[in-house]
Amino acid sequence: MNNQTETQNCDFTSELKLKGFKVYQINGDQSKIPVYSRRDFYKICINTSKSVIQYADRGIETDGTILFFGNPIIPYSWETISEGYEGYACVFTEEFLKVKDRSETLHESPLFKIGGTPIFSLNAEQKLFIDSLFEKMIKEYETDYVFKDDLMCSYVNLIIHESMKMQPTENFFKHKNASSRITSLFLELLERQFPIETKNEPLALKTPQDYAQSLAVHVNHLNRSVKEVTGKPTTAHITERIIGEAKALLQHTDWSISDIGYSLGFEYPSYFNNYFKRLTGTIPKSLRS
């Protein structure tokens, strides 16, 4: 990355943190070098191209028009394979999109959904409608309308709801009982531990007992609830998330394997190597190479 690009990225991030929101058009044959993203903001993007998106530890190929949702929890990179591309994007901080009466809906949306793949293929009609919303946002973004932020939030929420309508109804999770509620809180707390941003501080919560204590419930109650709602024990969820983060760190950072292991709560490299091999069938070094 050259100095000019670094300066542009710095200016972009500074403006975003200052205003909390930015919308823009994307087009042309820009750099095809993927940039690994662990940012502190959310992104919604409509893009027409042939691309490869590295989302966490998965590679997803797209061809045509897609609607993409990125969040600070899941690392991703984007490589455009076709000669050019076109579309729109908006980025915003979590504070910008504070909607008191709609928090439950937003947590069921593609932006916040745990374990999902927030990429939607759009037909011509859907593309036309989403494009029109971005065009309205770009037009309003340049005005001095006093309630501009509220208007932008409305447009963003409309895009979110349009994407939710593309999903099967049964995908939306409703909290019908205490088990559902405690499970939802556990999964949310689990995701808050990631992504790992520093190699100097080990993972704070590593066991079901740690999570139960943080949620002020008995560990047996937590385990029963999680198993009842998800069909998997608490330890399975924790293990899957740690392994997923380990793969992402191995593939997208230059940290040493011992540093990665330490950041994930393993005091000694041998403990991390044995844990990783037992669950994946290979050692960390093999995945990195």
Side-chain angles (χ1 to χ4, degrees):
M1 183 178 293
N2 58 40
N3 291 335
Q4 182 179 1
T5 304
E6 289 178 348
T7 301
Q8 290 173 344
N9 287 342
C10 182
D11 293 342
F12 181 90
T13 302
S14 298
E15 180 183 356
L16 176 60
K17 288 185 176 181
L18 178 64
K19 297 183 178 181
F21 180 89
K22 186 172 180 62
V23 60
Y24 53 95
Q25 185 172 8
I26 49 178
N27 55 61
D29 185 14
Q30 300 182 26
S31 173
K32 295 184 179 180
I33 301 176
V35 178
Y36 185 69
S37 301
R38 280 175 174 266
R39 305 187 177 98
D40 55 356
F41 54 80
Y42 296 85
K43 179 178 183 178
I44 303 177
C45 172
I46 180 172
N47 183 287
T48 302
S49 68
K50 185 174 183 180
S51 304
V52 175
I53 301 173
Q54 297 294 334
Y55 188 77
D57 60 337
R58 291 174 287 171
I60 304 166
E61 294 185 7
T62 68
D63 191 2
T65 300
I66 64 166
L67 185 62
F68 172 82
F69 294 83
N71 64 59
I73 295 174
I74 308 297
Y76 66 90
S77 64
W78 192 310
E79 181 180 10
T80 302
I81 299 174
S82 53
E83 292 185 359
Y85 58 87
E86 61 178 15
Y88 300 92
C90 66
V91 288
F92 49 91
T93 61
E94 184 173 358
E95 289 73 20
F96 182 82
L97 204 66
K98 292 291 186 182
V99 187
K100 296 180 180 179
D101 296 332
R102 300 180 183 177
S103 59
E104 182 179 355
T105 302
L106 287 174
H107 278 279
E108 292 169 356
S109 77
L111 275 177
F112 297 90
K113 191 174 181 181
I114 298 170
T117 303
I119 300 175
F120 300 85
S121 296
L122 304 186
N123 58 34
E125 182 180 358
Q126 291 167 332
K127 177 183 183 302
L128 186 64
F129 181 68
I130 299 298
D131 279 347
S132 70
L133 295 179
F134 273 101
E135 289 165 1
K136 290 178 181 178
M137 281 195 286
I138 290 175
K139 183 178 180 180
E140 292 292 343
Y141 187 75
E142 302 299 330
T143 70
D144 56 0
Y145 177 49
V146 66
F147 299 115
K148 180 170 61 177
D149 286 354
D150 292 338
L151 186 56
M152 293 299 176
C153 282
S154 296
Y155 283 131
V156 168
N157 276 286
L158 185 54
I159 294 174
I160 291 173
H161 280 286
E162 284 299 313
S163 68
M164 291 170 66
K165 285 158 57 177
M166 300 176 196
Q167 302 178 92
T169 303
E170 59 268 20
N171 285 350
F172 298 112
F173 183 75
K174 301 296 182 183
H175 305 309
K176 295 181 179 179
N177 52 46
S179 294
S180 296
R181 181 177 178 277
I182 194 64
T183 300
S184 177
L185 291 173
F186 160 70
L187 292 173
E188 182 177 351
L189 183 58
L190 175 62
E191 285 300 325
R192 285 182 185 175
Q193 310 309 305
F194 304 95
I196 302 295
E197 298 288 357
T198 175
K199 54 189 174 183
N200 299 320
E201 297 180 9
L203 196 66
L205 306 177
K206 301 183 289 292
T207 67
Q209 287 80 2
D210 293 336
Y211 285 91
Q213 183 175 0
S214 295
L215 295 170
V217 298
H218 194 280
V219 66
N220 290 342
H221 176 47
L222 174 64
N223 288 332
R224 282 195 303 268
S225 299
V226 173
K227 183 65 179 295
E228 175 187 339
V229 173
T230 69
K232 295 191 296 186
T234 311
T235 51
H237 289 280
I238 298 172
T239 298
E240 289 173 4
R241 194 62 185 86
I242 289 176
I243 289 296
E245 185 70 5
K247 290 179 178 178
L249 292 171
L250 287 166
Q251 292 174 335
H252 301 292
T253 72
D254 59 359
W255 298 1
S256 69
I257 292 176
S258 61
D259 284 339
I260 292 174
Y262 180 77
S263 72
L264 292 171
F266 298 90
E267 187 175 0
Y268 301 105
S270 59
Y271 291 175
F272 174 56
N273 276 273
N274 293 337
Y275 179 86
F276 192 88
K277 184 176 181 180
R278 176 168 57 85
L279 293 165
T280 68
T282 186
I283 60 175
K285 185 178 180 180
S286 297
L287 182 66
R288 168 160 282 180
S289 61

